[in-house]
Amino acid sequence: MNVFRFILQNHRQVLELTLEHLRLVGFSTLFAMLIGIPLGIVIAHRPRFNRPVLASANIIQTIPSLALFGFLLPVPWLGERADRLAILALTLYALLPIIRNTYTGIRGVDPAVVEAGRGMGLTESQLLWKVEMPLAVSVILSGVRVAVVISVGLATIAAAIGAGGLGEFIFRGLAMVDDRVILAGAIPAALLALAADFGVGWLERRLQPR
Amino acid sequence: MNPVAASPVIEFCDVCYRVADTQVLSGFDLQIEQGETLVLLGRSGSGKTTSLKLVNRLLSPTSGEIRVKGVSNAEGDVIRLRRSIGYVIQDVGLFPHFTVERNIGLVPKIEGWPEDRVRARVQELLRTVGLAPEMAPRYPHQLSGGQRQRVGVARALAADPEILLMDEPFGALDPLTRDGLQREFLALQQRLHKTVAFVTHDLREALRLGTRIALMEAGRLITVLTPQEFLRSADPLASAYVRAFGEGLESAANRGAS
């Protein structure tokens, strides 16, 4: 098929854009985890904050992605480099599934287990690291998995603001009305999403308690 | 009682505990002496579990104080306090992601015992509670209810605490397993002489295991009696219990006393 011939002929660029794409997804997921997991832990222990935090993450999720990229464009330091901006936007979108699953995972730990641990004299941080986190890890990772898959798709739109990634091919193909070029971006993106889904899913099963 | 008995190991002094508008415990006074098994008997909601949790400070009293070995438990480090008290609950609360060995050895390990001493202690405790050493690498979900409960007891004994708090530890077990564990508890207690506070709503269990029975109702302590006294008590609530449980109580009480 000529799509594959096109990809082969342009394999250097496909590879380059795939790596760019991975970089956007990788950094944004990492940041979302660094922010989302601690936040999820906090709201699981302090139910007072649970509504405002989850509501904010929900609202972010409802902003159309193209609009969010646009809104962030005039922000000083961020607007200077399109990839910074894309990473920030993708981080914001990845927050909700990660916060929500961390919250759900920790709340889902059997209260009898936590109570027994506390009664035995575990400190709050020992309870968190030895009991709650190991028991919640697979739920948390399934949130990360959702976040990664969403990010791989959303990151294609980042090309609209010049952040690179596989979206470049898609937008270029749309402009040229050339399906081969669109697919040269879409197929690797889809494969990337599948691979990420599989990879995090594998990790999830490996770390599953019991 | 020993005439030269030192101060009680656990002492409730005019303790009240209130959550929102509910008075869970009021004017609660009770002494638990060295080496005895004091059973807190009462129906659900009578405040039995609350009084246990006040001892290891999972809850703090609204007023009054609880003394453990003569010292108010509100003073000092709560983590130290809890590690010096064994705690067994009905749902066992074993860590599902830990093997039996890690469950039992957790407190010694975080107390910094060397690895081989922890392992030796776990083996010793498995024998103490009547479990085969082959159980050590298993996970809680691979055990029967009775075995899990034994692991729960072993875990509570791990750091060799003087005091054991047991909250309906045998409540969820079938009658045969429960009977076996009660018998072993008595044998164990004869060797170890821990100071035990034991919560149950089962009069038969209370008569069998308790050296004294503290009868509770609606957050108040009604009376404290030995099993023999309990059976002959004129107290309306105590006699209502005796009637409700019917025949064969005498033998349960005698077995416990022997």
Side-chain angles (χ1 to χ4, degrees):
Chain A
M1 237 174 91
N2 40 14
V3 177
F4 294 108
R5 197 175 312 139
F6 178 85
I7 292 176
L8 276 177
Q9 275 162 1
N10 297 280
H11 68 274
R12 293 192 76 125
Q13 206 188 354
V14 173
L15 197 67
E16 196 181 307
L17 292 178
T18 304
L19 287 177
E20 256 177 42
H21 206 92
L22 266 176
R23 188 171 153 266
L24 295 178
V25 173
F27 275 112
S28 59
T29 306
L30 182 71
F31 293 147
M33 284 170 75
L34 289 177
I35 302 165
I37 294 176
L39 258 182
I41 292 171
V42 169
I43 61 171
H45 290 136
R46 308 211 189 297
R48 249 175 340 127
F49 299 121
N50 129 36
R51 276 170 174 277
V53 169
L54 285 177
S56 316
N58 255 316
I59 289 168
I60 294 171
Q61 209 75 12
T62 62
I63 305 173
S65 48
L66 207 50
L68 184 59
F69 285 122
F71 285 147
L72 295 171
L73 214 44
V75 179
W77 181 80
L78 279 168
E80 283 165 32
R81 296 254 315 260
D83 57 344
R84 284 180 194 159
L85 211 149
I87 288 173
L88 175 70
L90 293 174
T91 302
L92 290 174
Y93 283 121
L95 280 178
L96 180 65
I98 293 178
I99 297 176
R100 199 176 37 202
N101 277 48
T102 305
Y103 172 79
T104 313
I106 290 194
R107 295 294 297 223
V109 174
D110 183 353
V113 170
V114 176
E115 173 120 293
R118 189 170 284 128
M120 285 164 68
L122 296 192
T123 62
E124 291 304 307
S125 81
Q126 284 166 340
L127 267 181
L128 179 67
W129 292 110
K130 287 182 188 293
V131 181
E132 292 176 310
M133 285 303 272
L135 290 172
V137 75
S138 65
V139 181
I140 296 174
L141 278 179
S142 76
V144 172
R145 191 169 160 189
V146 171
V148 171
V149 173
I150 292 175
S151 293
V152 171
L154 274 178
T156 56
I157 298 171
I161 53 160
L166 290 162
E168 295 255 318
F169 273 135
I170 297 176
F171 281 105
R172 202 186 302 162
L174 284 169
M176 294 159 63
V177 202
D178 187 338
D179 285 350
R180 288 180 317 165
V181 184
I182 296 178
L183 287 171
I187 293 172
L191 291 177
L192 217 55
L194 283 174
D197 189 37
F198 181 81
V200 185
W202 175 81
L203 202 63
E204 197 182 311
R205 279 189 303 278
R206 285 252 359 219
L207 293 178
Q208 194 143 43
R210 270 178 271 182
Chain B
M1 288 292 125
N2 188 343
V4 288
S7 62
V9 177
I10 302 171
E11 194 171 9
F12 291 85
C13 309
D14 195 23
V15 172
C16 293
Y17 181 75
R18 191 168 41 230
V19 193
D21 292 337
T22 318
Q23 190 77 29
V24 185
L25 272 187
S26 27
F28 193 70
D29 277 297
L30 179 67
Q31 287 87 36
I32 306 179
E33 309 291 337
Q34 160 72 40
E36 78 168 329
T37 302
L38 186 117
V39 174
L40 292 157
L41 177 72
R43 47 182 141 190
S44 1
S46 59
K48 318 179 289 277
T49 297
T50 303
S51 34
L52 276 201
K53 289 182 179 174
L54 285 165
V55 176
N56 62 4
R57 263 173 81 186
L58 285 173
L59 300 172
S60 297
T62 313
S63 66
E65 70 171 3
I66 296 101
R67 297 202 194 109
V68 175
K69 291 186 246 169
V71 186
S72 165
N73 74 349
E75 289 162 27
D77 180 12
V78 66
I79 300 299
R80 290 252 62 78
L81 173 83
R82 287 176 187 162
R83 286 189 196 160
S84 70
I85 299 175
Y87 186 47
V88 188
I89 57 179
Q90 173 171 356
D91 307 313
V92 199
L94 292 183
F95 304 125
H97 57 307
F98 280 8
T99 59
V100 166
E101 172 154 26
R102 281 191 76 192
N103 262 292
I104 298 176
L106 181 61
V107 169
K109 201 177 151 204
I110 57 184
E111 287 283 89
W113 292 24
E115 200 70 37
D116 49 342
R117 195 172 148 217
V118 175
R119 195 162 315 126
R121 179 69 179 151
V122 170
Q123 288 302 323
E124 182 191 340
L125 284 164
L126 284 174
R127 273 195 304 279
T128 306
V129 299
L131 286 172
E134 298 88 76
M135 293 292 171
R138 301 220 183 146
Y139 284 89
H141 73 279
Q142 296 168 312
L143 307 178
S144 70
Q147 289 170 330
R148 271 202 284 272
Q149 204 50 262
R150 285 165 204 258
V151 176
V153 173
R155 184 174 70 171
L157 292 170
D160 202 19
E162 257 177 74
I163 300 169
L164 273 184
L165 306 177
M166 305 179 86
D167 192 352
E168 300 199 29
F170 311 139
L173 301 173
D174 65 86
L176 280 179
T177 311
R178 189 188 312 141
D179 179 73
L181 280 177
Q182 287 171 346
R183 200 191 327 254
E184 285 172 39
F185 172 84
L186 286 170
L188 203 64
Q189 184 55 351
Q190 237 158 27
R191 278 179 22 228
L192 302 177
H193 302 292
K194 302 288 183 192
T195 303
V196 182
F198 192 108
V199 161
T200 186
H201 55 241
D202 179 352
L203 176 59
R204 211 172 286 272
E205 183 166 73
L207 292 170
R208 190 175 184 188
L209 303 184
T211 43
R212 290 190 301 155
I213 298 169
L215 184 60
M216 295 182 67
E217 174 77 2
R220 292 185 177 278
L221 181 63
I222 304 297
T223 175
V224 184
L225 301 164
T226 67
Q228 296 300 335
E229 289 166 348
F230 196 100
L231 287 175
R232 286 186 293 274
S233 170
D235 181 273
L237 187 64
S239 45
Y241 259 97
V242 173
R243 275 198 308 279
F245 276 84
E247 300 297 306
L249 287 175
E250 200 72 52
S251 65
N254 286 333
R255 222 169 346 166
S258 66

